[in-house]
mmCIF file of all heavy atoms in Angstrom:
data_model
loop_
_atom_site.group_PDB
_atom_site.id
_atom_site.type_symbol
_atom_site.label_atom_id
_atom_site.label_comp_id
_atom_site.label_asym_id
_atom_site.label_seq_id
_atom_site.Cartn_x
_atom_site.Cartn_y
_atom_site.Cartn_z
ATOM 1 N N PHE K 51 26.775 2.775 7.226
ATOM 2 C CA PHE K 51 25.928 2.785 6.021
ATOM 3 C C PHE K 51 25.581 4.205 5.609
ATOM 4 O O PHE K 51 25.281 5.050 6.460
ATOM 5 C CB PHE K 51 24.581 2.101 6.291
ATOM 6 C CG PHE K 51 24.647 0.613 6.453
ATOM 7 C CD1 PHE K 51 24.589 0.048 7.711
ATOM 8 C CD2 PHE K 51 24.740 -0.215 5.351
ATOM 9 C CE1 PHE K 51 24.632 -1.330 7.871
ATOM 10 C CE2 PHE K 51 24.784 -1.594 5.495
ATOM 11 C CZ PHE K 51 24.729 -2.155 6.766
ATOM 12 N N ASN K 52 25.550 4.440 4.295
ATOM 13 C CA ASN K 52 24.875 5.613 3.741
ATOM 14 C C ASN K 52 23.524 5.119 3.249
ATOM 15 O O ASN K 52 23.464 4.201 2.418
ATOM 16 C CB ASN K 52 25.645 6.188 2.550
ATOM 17 C CG ASN K 52 26.962 6.813 2.963
ATOM 18 O OD1 ASN K 52 27.173 7.135 4.132
ATOM 19 N ND2 ASN K 52 27.858 6.975 2.010
ATOM 20 N N ILE K 53 22.459 5.720 3.776
ATOM 21 C CA ILE K 53 21.106 5.275 3.406
ATOM 22 C C ILE K 53 20.343 6.447 2.805
ATOM 23 O O ILE K 53 20.375 7.563 3.335
ATOM 24 C CB ILE K 53 20.348 4.739 4.642
ATOM 25 C CG1 ILE K 53 21.059 3.500 5.199
ATOM 26 C CG2 ILE K 53 18.889 4.406 4.294
ATOM 27 C CD1 ILE K 53 20.434 2.922 6.465
ATOM 28 N N LEU K 54 19.633 6.168 1.704
ATOM 29 C CA LEU K 54 18.737 7.156 1.103
ATOM 30 C C LEU K 54 17.304 6.669 1.258
ATOM 31 O O LEU K 54 16.997 5.526 0.895
ATOM 32 C CB LEU K 54 19.046 7.309 -0.399
ATOM 33 C CG LEU K 54 18.064 8.179 -1.192
ATOM 34 C CD1 LEU K 54 18.122 9.637 -0.736
ATOM 35 C CD2 LEU K 54 18.356 8.090 -2.699
ATOM 36 N N GLU K 55 16.443 7.524 1.803
ATOM 37 C CA GLU K 55 15.015 7.175 1.856
ATOM 38 C C GLU K 55 14.240 8.025 0.861
ATOM 39 O O GLU K 55 14.303 9.263 0.889
ATOM 40 C CB GLU K 55 14.425 7.391 3.258
ATOM 41 C CG GLU K 55 12.919 7.094 3.235
ATOM 42 C CD GLU K 55 12.217 7.174 4.576
ATOM 43 O OE1 GLU K 55 12.741 7.777 5.520
ATOM 44 O OE2 GLU K 55 11.104 6.618 4.648
ATOM 45 N N VAL K 56 13.462 7.363 0.035
ATOM 46 C CA VAL K 56 12.592 8.062 -0.921
ATOM 47 C C VAL K 56 11.207 8.175 -0.289
ATOM 48 O O VAL K 56 10.525 7.172 -0.080
ATOM 49 C CB VAL K 56 12.532 7.281 -2.253
ATOM 50 C CG1 VAL K 56 11.477 7.890 -3.159
ATOM 51 C CG2 VAL K 56 13.889 7.287 -2.925
ATOM 52 N N GLY K 57 10.838 9.396 0.070
ATOM 53 C CA GLY K 57 9.564 9.640 0.754
ATOM 54 C C GLY K 57 9.744 9.611 2.257
ATOM 55 O O GLY K 57 9.372 8.643 2.924
ATOM 56 N N PHE K 58 10.321 10.667 2.823
ATOM 57 C CA PHE K 58 10.633 10.726 4.262
ATOM 58 C C PHE K 58 9.357 10.677 5.111
ATOM 59 O O PHE K 58 9.322 10.056 6.179
ATOM 60 C CB PHE K 58 11.413 12.016 4.555
ATOM 61 C CG PHE K 58 11.826 12.175 5.982
ATOM 62 C CD1 PHE K 58 12.935 11.512 6.481
ATOM 63 C CD2 PHE K 58 11.094 12.987 6.852
ATOM 64 C CE1 PHE K 58 13.321 11.648 7.804
ATOM 65 C CE2 PHE K 58 11.463 13.129 8.179
ATOM 66 C CZ PHE K 58 12.576 12.459 8.657
ATOM 67 N N GLY K 59 8.314 11.349 4.651
ATOM 68 C CA GLY K 59 6.973 11.260 5.241
ATOM 69 C C GLY K 59 6.908 11.458 6.736
ATOM 70 O O GLY K 59 7.324 12.497 7.269
ATOM 71 N N THR K 60 6.368 10.456 7.447
ATOM 72 C CA THR K 60 6.173 10.546 8.903
ATOM 73 C C THR K 60 7.491 10.464 9.671
ATOM 74 O O THR K 60 7.500 10.685 10.885
ATOM 75 C CB THR K 60 5.295 9.393 9.396
ATOM 76 O OG1 THR K 60 5.958 8.156 9.073
ATOM 77 C CG2 THR K 60 3.914 9.425 8.774
ATOM 78 N N GLY K 61 8.572 10.047 9.011
ATOM 79 C CA GLY K 61 9.849 9.878 9.704
ATOM 80 C C GLY K 61 9.965 8.521 10.384
ATOM 81 O O GLY K 61 10.945 8.240 11.072
ATOM 82 N N LEU K 62 8.981 7.638 10.160
ATOM 83 C CA LEU K 62 9.008 6.338 10.849
ATOM 84 C C LEU K 62 10.250 5.515 10.497
ATOM 85 O O LEU K 62 10.895 4.952 11.391
ATOM 86 C CB LEU K 62 7.730 5.539 10.514
ATOM 87 C CG LEU K 62 7.669 4.117 11.068
ATOM 88 C CD1 LEU K 62 7.790 4.090 12.591
ATOM 89 C CD2 LEU K 62 6.386 3.403 10.630
ATOM 90 N N ASN K 63 10.593 5.449 9.212
ATOM 91 C CA ASN K 63 11.762 4.637 8.839
ATOM 92 C C ASN K 63 13.053 5.225 9.405
ATOM 93 O O ASN K 63 13.948 4.486 9.827
ATOM 94 C CB ASN K 63 11.866 4.523 7.312
ATOM 95 C CG ASN K 63 10.692 3.780 6.718
ATOM 96 O OD1 ASN K 63 10.121 2.903 7.354
ATOM 97 N ND2 ASN K 63 10.314 4.141 5.499
ATOM 98 N N ALA K 64 13.129 6.540 9.429
ATOM 99 C CA ALA K 64 14.313 7.193 10.006
ATOM 100 C C ALA K 64 14.366 6.941 11.513
ATOM 101 O O ALA K 64 15.432 6.646 12.065
ATOM 102 C CB ALA K 64 14.269 8.692 9.718
ATOM 103 N N LEU K 65 13.218 7.031 12.173
ATOM 104 C CA LEU K 65 13.156 6.814 13.626
ATOM 105 C C LEU K 65 13.616 5.396 13.994
ATOM 106 O O LEU K 65 14.444 5.205 14.898
ATOM 107 C CB LEU K 65 11.706 7.027 14.094
ATOM 108 C CG LEU K 65 11.433 6.806 15.574
ATOM 109 C CD1 LEU K 65 11.997 7.956 16.405
ATOM 110 C CD2 LEU K 65 9.926 6.668 15.840
ATOM 111 N N LEU K 66 13.098 4.402 13.271
ATOM 112 C CA LEU K 66 13.461 3.000 13.560
ATOM 113 C C LEU K 66 14.928 2.745 13.230
ATOM 114 O O LEU K 66 15.618 2.003 13.944
ATOM 115 C CB LEU K 66 12.570 2.047 12.756
ATOM 116 C CG LEU K 66 11.086 2.042 13.135
ATOM 117 C CD1 LEU K 66 10.285 1.198 12.132
ATOM 118 C CD2 LEU K 66 10.863 1.515 14.552
ATOM 119 N N THR K 67 15.413 3.376 12.175
ATOM 120 C CA THR K 67 16.823 3.198 11.790
ATOM 121 C C THR K 67 17.735 3.844 12.842
ATOM 122 O O THR K 67 18.758 3.256 13.228
ATOM 123 C CB THR K 67 17.076 3.801 10.393
ATOM 124 O OG1 THR K 67 16.205 3.164 9.464
ATOM 125 C CG2 THR K 67 18.514 3.595 9.948
ATOM 126 N N ALA K 68 17.348 5.032 13.322
ATOM 127 C CA ALA K 68 18.159 5.722 14.338
ATOM 128 C C ALA K 68 18.176 4.909 15.628
ATOM 129 O O ALA K 68 19.212 4.804 16.303
ATOM 130 C CB ALA K 68 17.582 7.116 14.603
ATOM 131 N N GLN K 69 17.059 4.298 15.980
ATOM 132 C CA GLN K 69 16.992 3.477 17.198
ATOM 133 C C GLN K 69 17.910 2.258 17.066
ATOM 134 O O GLN K 69 18.692 1.953 17.964
ATOM 135 C CB GLN K 69 15.544 3.012 17.429
ATOM 136 C CG GLN K 69 15.398 2.156 18.687
ATOM 137 C CD GLN K 69 14.021 1.513 18.824
ATOM 138 O OE1 GLN K 69 13.490 0.962 17.869
ATOM 139 N NE2 GLN K 69 13.463 1.573 20.007
ATOM 140 N N LYS K 70 17.822 1.562 15.916
ATOM 141 C CA LYS K 70 18.639 0.362 15.706
ATOM 142 C C LYS K 70 20.124 0.730 15.635
ATOM 143 O O LYS K 70 20.984 0.003 16.138
ATOM 144 C CB LYS K 70 18.215 -0.264 14.391
ATOM 145 C CG LYS K 70 17.878 -1.711 14.303
ATOM 146 C CD LYS K 70 17.736 -2.503 15.512
ATOM 147 C CE LYS K 70 16.430 -3.258 15.479
ATOM 148 N NZ LYS K 70 15.871 -3.577 16.746
ATOM 149 N N ALA K 71 20.424 1.851 15.001
ATOM 150 C CA ALA K 71 21.821 2.292 14.873
ATOM 151 C C ALA K 71 22.429 2.460 16.270
ATOM 152 O O ALA K 71 23.551 2.005 16.525
ATOM 153 C CB ALA K 71 21.872 3.598 14.090
ATOM 154 N N LYS K 72 21.668 3.085 17.148
ATOM 155 C CA LYS K 72 22.122 3.331 18.519
ATOM 156 C C LYS K 72 22.295 2.006 19.270
ATOM 157 O O LYS K 72 23.291 1.770 19.927
ATOM 158 C CB LYS K 72 21.044 4.181 19.205
ATOM 159 C CG LYS K 72 21.476 4.995 20.396
ATOM 160 C CD LYS K 72 20.405 6.007 20.796
ATOM 161 C CE LYS K 72 19.027 5.371 20.952
ATOM 162 N NZ LYS K 72 17.954 6.286 21.376
ATOM 163 N N GLN K 73 21.314 1.118 19.124
ATOM 164 C CA GLN K 73 21.365 -0.166 19.848
ATOM 165 C C GLN K 73 22.504 -1.048 19.384
ATOM 166 O O GLN K 73 23.085 -1.795 20.155
ATOM 167 C CB GLN K 73 20.048 -0.943 19.637
ATOM 168 C CG GLN K 73 18.867 -0.362 20.370
ATOM 169 C CD GLN K 73 17.530 -0.988 19.922
ATOM 170 O OE1 GLN K 73 17.485 -1.756 18.951
ATOM 171 N NE2 GLN K 73 16.465 -0.644 20.625
#
Side-chain angles (χ1 to χ4, degrees):
F51 289 102
N52 291 341
I53 297 177
L54 172 66
E55 177 176 19
V56 172
F58 182 80
T60 60
L62 175 58
N63 296 329
L65 178 74
L66 293 172
T67 302
Q69 180 189 46
K70 230 10 129 207
K72 203 168 51 178
Q73 288 169 352

